[in-house]
Amino acid sequence: MLSIAALIGFKQFLPEKIFTETAGTKNVVVDSLMLEAAEGAGNAPVEKDTLSNTKISFTATNGVKFPAETFEDYKGFQHLVAFYEKLLQLEKSQQGNVRIAYFGDSMTDGDMIVKDLRSSLQNRFGGEGVGFVNITSESAPSRSTLSHSFSGNWKTQSYLNVKNPRKPFGINGHVFFTKRDTVNPVWVKYKASKLSHLSSLNNATLFYGRSGNTHAKMQVIIGADTINKKLNAGSLLNTMPVSGGDVKSFKANFIAADSIPFYGFNFDDGRGVHVDNFSNRGNSGLPIATFNTNLMKAFNEKLGYDLIVLHYGTNVLNYGSLNYTWYEKKMSKVVAHLRECFPGVAILIISTADKSSKYGTEMKTDSAVVPLTLAQKRYAVQTESGYVNLYTLMGGNGSMVRWVEDVPAYANKDYTHFNFRGSKKISDLIYNQLNDGYEKYKALRGGKPLPKEPKRDSVFPVAKPVQVTKPILNKPAADSFKPAAQPVKKPLQPAAVKPVKPAIVPAKEIKPKELKPQPAQPVTAPVIKDTANAQ
C-alpha cells in the first residue's frame, strides 16, 4: 500500500515515456561508432529545418532532366539516371547485368525485404543467383534464400566493433580467418533453395585477400567428387571458382589457410539483375566510412555495382537528442567515401520505418522517428542521392501500431521489425518507387510527356488531415488496409510481367515541432578491440 501511494504521489514527476517495447530485443544493438558520435552530440536542441520550403532543381544528366521537386516530396530520381540507363539497356537488349549492393541493419537480417526486392527485379529483368554471401553469419539459420552452415573454428572481425582489423574489411563489413586446428577441419557449406531464380548456386566463386601463405588449399566436395584447389593469395583481392558451372550444393574445407583473409562466396549467372544483401544487426551505417578504398575498388572491378542502397535508422533512434544533425553530417561523409570507393555509382537512401514506443499506457509513433527521417532526407539532398521515405510510405503517424495489430499482422510485437508478410509489403513499396522513377526516365529519354498523377487522400488519418498530391505507388491490392479514394495510374510494364501491387498508401510527414522530445535511453557501448598488431 505504501508503494502504491508513493507511485501515485510521484507519478506527476515521471516522464511520459517510461518503457520501450524494444528493450531487451536481441536484434537491437548499436555499433560503437554511432555511440561515440551520439555521445559527442550531447543534448543539442532540434535545429530549424532550413530546407523545408526549398525547391530543388536538377542539372541534366546525359540529356535527361527531371522536373524540380519540393523538399517535402523529394525522391531524387535525377540522381538515379545512371542506374536507370543500365536497366533500360538491359531491358532492351536482354544482355549484360545490373548489380545492387543493399546495406542495412536488422531490418534486412536473414535476407528480409532484400529477397523480395531481388525477386521482383529478377522477374522483370532476368538474373539468377542470390549474390554475395558471407563465410559465416549469425542470421544463417533464419535465411530462406540459401542453406548456409559452417564449422565453429572461424575467427570473425566486424566493422561494428573492431577499429583496426588484421586485414581490411570486405564489402560485407567482415573479414574471416581460419583458427589453427590440427584436429577439426575448418569448413563452410552452402545449398541452394527451391525458390525461383535461386534454385542453383550459380558460378560459385570464393573471394579472399592477400597473404604470404603459399601452402593454403581449398578442398571442394560436390556430391561424391572432391577437388583440391591451391589458394594463391598474392593480390589485394583474389577469386577462386568452385567449379566450372552451377551446382546445387557444395562443402569447402580450408587446409593450412592461416593468415589468409576470407570474405565470402558469390553466386550469380552474370546476366540480369543481382542484389547483394550486406546486413549487419546493430549497424547505423557509420562503420561504412572505415572501408579500405583500394580494396573496395578491387571488389567493384570484379562485381561491378550500379546502385548502392543505404537502409538504416532502427539503431539510431533514441540515442542522443532529437537533433540528428550529427548523424546527417556523418552519413554525408559516408556517401562521399562510397563514391570514392565505387566511382560513378548511384546511391539510394531509405529512411527509417515507423517505430512505436509506449507513452503512458498507449503505443504511439516514437518522437524520434520524424526528426530522423528529415535528417536522412537532408543528407540525401545534400549528397545528390535518391530518397525513399519509408515512414510515410507505410502510412505515417501510428502506422506501426496498425501493422502490428492488423489481422494477419505485418510486424512483430517489438513494434520495430517486420515479419515475412510485412517485409514483402515494404519491398513492394521500395520497388514501386524505383519503378515509378524508371518509367518517368524512359518517358523523358524518349521525349514523351510525363503522365499526370491524380490527387488522392491518405488512407490513414494523421495528426492533421493532409492530402498527398504526388503518390508514387500502384493501386493497392485488396486486403485489410483500406484502398485509396481514387485510383492511381499504373506505371508502364512489359506485357509479360505482372506489376507488383503493394497494399499501403503513404501519408504526409509530421513536422518535428509537433513532437515532444523524450529522454534518451542509457546505452552501454560495446568493447572495441584494437587488433592492429595481432598478426
Side-chain angles (χ1 to χ4, degrees):
M1 293 178 64
L2 288 174
S3 299
I4 294 173
L7 179 61
I8 295 174
F10 284 105
K11 183 177 180 181
Q12 59 182 319
F13 302 108
L14 294 174
E16 182 183 9
K17 178 180 175 182
I18 302 177
F19 302 109
T20 66
E21 294 297 308
T22 56
T25 301
K26 66 179 181 179
N27 286 345
V28 181
V29 293
V30 185
D31 69 69
S32 58
L33 290 178
M34 200 284 293
L35 286 175
E36 292 174 2
E39 183 179 355
N43 293 317
V46 179
E47 289 188 350
K48 183 178 180 181
D49 194 344
T50 58
L51 289 175
S52 58
N53 297 317
T54 301
K55 186 175 182 180
I56 302 163
S57 299
F58 304 108
T59 302
T61 304
N62 297 329
V64 175
K65 182 178 179 181
F66 278 81
E69 298 183 75
T70 63
F71 177 75
E72 182 179 8
D73 297 322
Y74 178 77
K75 299 179 185 68
F77 291 145
Q78 181 69 50
H79 306 307
L80 303 180
V81 164
F83 169 65
Y84 287 148
E85 178 61 24
K86 287 293 294 290
L87 282 181
L88 180 59
Q89 294 305 318
L90 178 61
E91 185 176 28
K92 283 183 174 181
S93 67
Q94 298 297 306
Q95 295 181 356
N97 63 84
V98 173
R99 197 174 196 101
I100 300 172
Y102 199 118
F103 292 92
D105 50 28
S106 56
M107 285 293 186
T108 57
D109 193 49
D111 221 11
M112 300 278 277
I113 299 176
V114 181
K115 74 182 184 72
D116 296 305
L117 180 62
R118 181 190 300 116
S119 178
S120 296
L121 290 167
Q122 290 183 335
N123 283 340
R124 178 169 182 181
F125 297 99
E128 301 285 327
V130 73
F132 198 94
V133 182
N134 288 2
I135 293 291
T136 74
S137 172
E138 61 185 350
S139 64
S142 63
R143 184 164 187 164
S144 63
T145 51
L146 184 82
S147 177
H148 180 196
S149 55
F150 40 85
S151 60
N153 44 5
W154 285 96
K155 179 178 176 56
T156 302
Q157 292 189 325
S158 167
Y159 65 0
L160 266 66
N161 50 30
V162 176
K163 283 187 175 179
N164 299 296
R166 290 170 56 186
K167 298 289 184 178
F169 297 119
I171 192 172
N172 49 8
H174 291 78
V175 57
F176 306 90
F177 299 93
T178 61
K179 290 183 180 180
R180 190 181 298 274
D181 194 329
T182 58
V183 178
N184 301 310
V186 183
W187 57 270
V188 63
K189 185 187 297 183
Y190 301 94
K191 182 180 179 180
S193 72
K194 296 182 180 180
L195 299 176
S196 178
H197 306 293
L198 304 178
S199 58
S200 291
L201 301 177
N202 309 94
N203 299 321
T205 304
L206 171 68
F207 280 66
Y208 60 104
R210 176 182 287 148
S211 170
N213 186 335
T214 58
H215 305 289
K217 292 190 297 182
M218 178 174 65
Q219 185 182 71
V220 180
I221 303 172
I222 304 174
D225 298 326
T226 299
I227 308 169
N228 290 304
K229 293 177 174 286
K230 180 178 175 58
L231 296 177
N232 299 310
S235 299
L236 181 62
L237 182 64
N238 309 277
T239 59
M240 176 64 69
V242 168
S243 66
D246 301 345
V247 296
K248 296 295 182 181
S249 65
F250 71 89
K251 179 181 180 181
N253 295 323
F254 293 86
I255 302 169
D258 302 357
S259 80
I260 294 182
F262 293 98
Y263 299 118
F265 284 84
N266 179 57
F267 307 101
D268 73 64
D269 68 342
R271 300 178 296 105
V273 176
H274 304 106
V275 185
D276 299 332
N277 182 2
F278 299 128
S279 64
N280 290 277
R281 296 176 186 175
N283 197 355
S284 67
L286 299 184
I288 293 175
T290 64
F291 275 160
N292 178 282
T293 302
N294 290 332
L295 181 57
M296 291 305 106
K297 286 182 176 179
F299 268 102
N300 197 37
E301 286 177 3
K302 294 183 180 296
L303 296 174
Y305 288 99
D306 301 292
L307 177 68
I308 289 178
V309 179
L310 300 178
H311 185 167
Y312 295 110
T314 305
N315 303 286
V316 187
L317 294 166
N318 299 124
Y319 295 99
S321 69
L322 297 185
N323 183 344
Y324 285 101
T325 303
W326 60 271
Y327 185 66
E328 174 188 333
K329 292 178 179 178
K330 291 283 187 179
M331 286 303 292
S332 293
K333 292 181 179 179
V334 166
V335 173
H337 185 58
L338 283 171
R339 290 209 164 100
E340 182 182 3
C341 294
F342 303 91
V345 70
I347 294 178
L348 177 67
I349 312 301
I350 298 180
S351 82
T352 182
D354 188 31
K355 172 192 173 182
S356 295
S357 296
K358 184 170 286 187
Y359 293 88
T361 60
E362 188 177 357
M363 296 300 297
K364 299 179 181 179
T365 289
D366 194 283
S367 59
V369 170
V370 171
L372 178 57
T373 63
L374 291 175
Q376 291 174 310
K377 187 188 296 185
R378 285 195 298 270
Y379 88 75
V381 172
Q382 293 161 0
T383 61
E384 297 186 343
S385 303
Y387 178 71
V388 174
N389 193 328
L390 206 53
Y391 166 68
T392 57
L393 287 185
M394 66 179 287
N397 185 37
S399 55
M400 181 56 78
V401 174
R402 294 188 286 272
W403 282 54
V404 171
E405 297 178 354
D406 200 60
V407 179
Y410 294 89
N412 299 326
K413 289 294 185 179
D414 64 356
Y415 289 83
T416 302
H417 296 88
F418 303 104
N419 57 25
F420 284 102
R421 188 180 298 106
S423 293
K424 176 63 168 63
K425 285 184 176 290
I426 292 297
S427 169
D428 289 346
L429 294 173
I430 296 169
Y431 174 83
N432 273 278
Q433 179 163 325
L434 278 174
N435 181 70
D436 182 55
Y438 177 56
E439 296 298 333
K440 285 180 168 66
Y441 171 74
K442 290 199 295 185
L444 286 169
R445 193 178 182 278
K448 301 176 182 178
L450 293 177
K452 294 182 179 180
E453 297 173 314
K455 296 182 179 181
R456 64 177 179 180
D457 294 327
S458 169
V459 169
F460 297 123
V462 293
K464 292 183 179 181
V466 297
Q467 188 177 60
V468 179
T469 58
K470 293 185 178 181
I472 61 175
L473 303 178
N474 295 339
K475 182 179 178 181
D479 60 9
S480 55
F481 291 92
K482 298 178 181 179
Q486 297 182 29
V488 182
K489 288 186 178 181
K490 299 178 181 177
L492 299 176
Q493 299 278 358
V497 179
K498 184 178 180 181
V500 179
K501 299 182 180 179
I504 303 160
V505 180
K508 187 176 181 181
E509 297 176 33
I510 305 172
K511 300 297 181 182
K513 65 182 180 181
E514 296 177 19
L515 300 172
K516 298 181 180 180
Q518 301 299 326
Q521 301 297 319
V523 179
T524 301
V527 176
I528 302 173
K529 300 177 183 178
D530 189 341
T531 59
N533 300 313
Q535 293 285 356

